[in-house]
């Protein structure tokens, strides 16, 4: 059986919706819990496929894990393997976060090279650089990252670009390396800060997360911790864009407004009314937008993960918008799907030129990756007529109950199972 989303467009959204815990924080924090000498309890974990995959990997490695009501309990004391299977690891990007953790536990790790969304080459040279700087020997043999280290010592890691994955992996390596490690040109995303806070709650010495330089004094005994994961920055942004696209008036709760400033500013520039305080963001929209220019950057710049949903919104703005994607080299494939709905878009090198049209037309389209799926949902909410989105599994990897959340705001959206005609 396959699944698709069917969206009857042009419904108004209004009401209140709560944000789930951060996917990209959870998939970094959960592996880190294996470094403790006792169990951890981690709350606000989103109930999404990527989390289920990482939990299956932890169980395969020997940990005892319980996950219910968005709370994960993990006892790492029975972990006795260092080589998670390809069938699990190949399903997601963050599985390679286990490499530095297992290296710290066993002085060896054999982890399949990461999977993840097809939005570019996504090399891991900076991760390898970080681990080698601290004393590991790393090879990639037959699609498997093999890391060994008799002893790891702190050192200076200079990342060529503020890579999220390389920053996470360098942090997870450094906590097992004796002495001081400084990670220079570190990524500053909210999920990096969340990982640092979790490691600190386990007894690690981690300073500077959220700035360009993260300092870690490793080699300390780490204990289990009780922790609550940060709200999902990208889900928050996706809900804000959906509210602008089809809203009248939507209140997004359990969010962190400061994480959303680049998007809030861009929506205000477009003529959308965005207000926020404490832990809520209110989006009011008359569905008339000014065209704007957007350039993706690492945090606190405009997030690449919101480029696709915002590009969908810009297809009906008044005027021509230029969206420049500086992070990934092929994150515009979804524009072909938007063209099927009548969007007037073309790409020149790393920029998309989007000329607004009066409205999109509901069509049969596909999600080409996780955030492209979110873009198609935004487009479907705005379109005249019915839109069917294939590749729902992509969307469900990263958004907890997104169809139910939108339905609770008034969207007419259905999840439909169907026989795959090719099977
Ligand atoms: C993380 O991917 C996120 N995934 C991505 O979110 C997000 O788009 C990305 O960070 C940027 O914010 C997770 O957190 C699980 P990078 P990651 O390393 O770590 C190049 C989603 O939708 N690079 O910051 O893979 C790389 O090719 C996903 O939730 C190297 O050249 O991103 C890319 O062009 C999609 N060598 C750029 O840096 C390296 O060793 C940024 O990549 C590492 C990265």
């Amino acid at each position: 059986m396959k699944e698709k989303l069917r969206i009857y467009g042009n419904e108004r959204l209004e009401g209140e919706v709560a944000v789930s815990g951060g996917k990209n924080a959870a998939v970094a924090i959960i592996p880190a819990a294996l470094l403790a000498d006792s169990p951890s309890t981690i709350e606000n974990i989103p109930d999404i496929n990527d989390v289920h995959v990482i939990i299956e990997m932890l169980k395969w490695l020997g940990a005892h894990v319980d996950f219910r009501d968005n709370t994960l309990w993990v006892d790492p004391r029975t972990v006795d393997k260092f080589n998670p299977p390809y069938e699990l690891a190949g399903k997601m990007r963050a599985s390679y976060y286990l490499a530095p953790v297992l290296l710290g536990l066993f002085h060896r790790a054999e982890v399949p090279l990461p999977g993840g969304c097809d939005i570019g080459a996504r090399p891991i040279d900076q991760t390898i650089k970080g681990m080698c700087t601290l004393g590991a020997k790393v090879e990639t043999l037959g699609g498997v990252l093999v890391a060994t280290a008799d002893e790891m010592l702190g050192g200076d890691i200079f990342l060529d670009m503020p890579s999220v994955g390389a920053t996470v992996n360098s942090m997870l390596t450094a906590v097992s390396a004796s002495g001081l490690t400084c990670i220079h040109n570190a990524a500053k995303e909210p999920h990096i800060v969340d990982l640092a806070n979790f490691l600190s709650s386990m007894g690690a010495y981690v300073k500077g997360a959220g700035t360009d330089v993260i300092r870690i004094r490793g080699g300390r005994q780490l204990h289990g911790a009780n922790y609550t994961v940060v709200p999902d920055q990208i889900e928050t942004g996706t809900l804000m864009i959906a509210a602008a696209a089809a809203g009248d008036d939507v209140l997004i709760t359990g969010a962190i407004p400061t994480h959303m400033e680049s998007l809030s500013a861009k929506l205000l520039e477009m003529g959308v009314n965005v207000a926020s305080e404490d832990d809520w963001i209110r989006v009011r929209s008359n569905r008339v937008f000014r065209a704007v220019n957007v350039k993706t950057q690492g945090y606190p710049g405009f997030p690449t993960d919101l480029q696709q949903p915002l590009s969908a919104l810009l297809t009906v703005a008044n005027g021509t918008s230029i969206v420049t994607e500086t992070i990934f080299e092929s994150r515009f494939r979804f524009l072909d799907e938007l063209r099927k709905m009548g969007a007037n878009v073309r790409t020149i090198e790393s920029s998309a030129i989007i000329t607004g049209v009066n409205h999109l037309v509901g069509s049969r389209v596909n999600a080409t990756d996780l955030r492209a799926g979110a873009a198609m949902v935004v487009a479907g909410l705005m379109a005249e007529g019915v839109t069917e989105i294939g590749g729902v599994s992509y969307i469900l990897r990263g958004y907890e109950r997104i169809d139910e959340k939108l339905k609770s705001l008034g969207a007419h959206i259905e999840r439909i199972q169907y026989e795959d005609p090719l099977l």
Side-chain angles (χ1 to χ4, degrees), residues 278-312:
D278 301 334
D279 67 348
W280 57 262
I281 298 171
R282 184 178 180 185
V283 177
R284 280 168 285 179
S285 170
N286 61 7
R287 295 169 304 286
V288 176
F289 313 111
R290 288 187 288 268
V292 293
N293 295 334
V294 183
K295 186 172 187 177
T296 63
Q297 298 284 351
Y299 191 85
F302 191 89
T304 176
D305 291 347
L306 291 176
Q307 177 265 105
Q308 293 160 296
L310 190 74
S311 293

Side-chain angles (χ1 to χ4, degrees), residues 121-138:
R122 304 187 81 178
I124 61 166
D125 54 296
Q126 300 298 302
T127 279
I128 294 171
K129 175 185 196 177
M131 295 176 78
C132 292
T133 303
L134 304 188
K137 180 172 175 288
V138 182

Side-chain angles (χ1 to χ4, degrees), residues 23-24 93 122-126 163-165 305 327 371:
K23 166 179 90 80
N24 292 343
R93 176 88 190 151
R122 304 187 81 178
I124 61 166
D125 54 296
Q126 300 298 302
S163 155
V164 168
D305 291 347
I327 306 295
R371 307 303 175 183

Side-chain angles (χ1 to χ4, degrees), residues 210-224:
T211 74
D212 294 313
V213 182
I214 299 175
R215 289 176 294 111
I216 293 176
R217 288 192 184 286
R220 300 163 74 134
Q221 186 65 39
L222 302 181
H223 51 74

Side-chain angles (χ1 to χ4, degrees), residues 96-388:
Y96 73 141
Y97 292 164
L98 284 167
V101 168
L102 297 170
L103 179 67
L105 292 173
F106 298 106
H107 300 285
R108 183 176 185 87
E110 295 176 11
V111 178
L113 290 176
C117 289
D118 180 12
I119 50 181
R122 304 187 81 178
I124 61 166
D125 54 296
Q126 300 298 302
T127 279
I128 294 171
K129 175 185 196 177
M131 295 176 78
C132 292
T133 303
L134 304 188
K137 180 172 175 288
V138 182
E139 299 173 276
T140 50
L141 303 171
V144 177
L145 185 151
V146 179
T148 54
D150 296 328
E151 186 188 18
M152 288 195 284
L153 298 174
D156 281 298
I157 299 171
F158 292 90
L159 297 178
D160 295 356
M161 80 288 293
S163 155
V164 168
T167 302
V168 167
N169 283 320
S170 296
M171 292 167 74
L172 293 175
T173 307
V175 290
S176 299
S178 305
L180 177 63
T181 292
C182 292
I183 305 167
H184 303 270
N185 198 17
K188 302 192 274 288
E189 272 68 8
H191 25 291
I192 297 293
V193 175
D194 216 32
L195 173 62
N197 291 339
F198 178 65
L199 291 170
S200 299
S201 71
M202 292 167 72
Y205 176 99
V206 186
K207 301 297 178 198
T211 74
D212 294 313
V213 182
I214 299 175
R215 289 176 294 111
I216 293 176
R217 288 192 184 286
R220 300 163 74 134
Q221 186 65 39
L222 302 181
H223 51 74
N226 294 334
Y227 192 75
T228 299
V229 169
V230 71
D232 193 309
Q233 174 204 18
I234 304 305
E235 185 200 13
T236 303
T238 305
L239 291 169
M240 289 169 68
I241 294 168
D248 278 336
D249 188 346
V250 173
L251 183 69
I252 299 164
T253 60
I256 299 181
T258 50
H259 289 168
M260 308 315 303
E261 285 173 349
S262 60
L263 173 63
S264 299
K266 203 46 74 174
L267 290 175
L268 287 165
E269 201 182 323
M270 291 176 66
V272 179
N273 185 321
V274 181
S276 61
E277 207 170 286
D278 301 334
D279 67 348
W280 57 262
I281 298 171
R282 184 178 180 185
V283 177
R284 280 168 285 179
S285 170
N286 61 7
R287 295 169 304 286
V288 176
F289 313 111
R290 288 187 288 268
V292 293
N293 295 334
V294 183
K295 186 172 187 177
T296 63
Q297 298 284 351
Y299 191 85
F302 191 89
T304 176
D305 291 347
L306 291 176
Q307 177 265 105
Q308 293 160 296
L310 190 74
S311 293
L313 183 62
L314 290 170
T315 62
V316 296
N318 292 321
T320 296
S321 303
I322 300 174
V323 178
T324 303
E325 173 57 69
T326 72
I327 306 295
F328 289 105
E329 67 272 23
S330 59
R331 200 163 199 173
F332 284 138
R333 283 177 51 209
F334 71 107
L335 295 178
D336 294 334
E337 300 302 306
L338 286 177
R339 282 193 197 94
K340 291 178 187 173
M341 299 178 72
N344 180 353
V345 297
R346 58 196 170 88
T347 55
I348 299 175
E349 293 175 358
S350 62
S351 291
I353 316 299
I354 304 174
T355 303
V357 296
N358 286 334
H359 61 79
L360 297 179
V361 178
S363 309
R364 180 69 173 83
V365 292
N366 280 306
T368 51
D369 60 70
L370 167 58
R371 307 303 175 183
M376 302 326 293
V377 170
V378 170
L381 291 171
M382 297 191 293
E384 304 277 347
V386 181
T387 298
E388 292 195 342

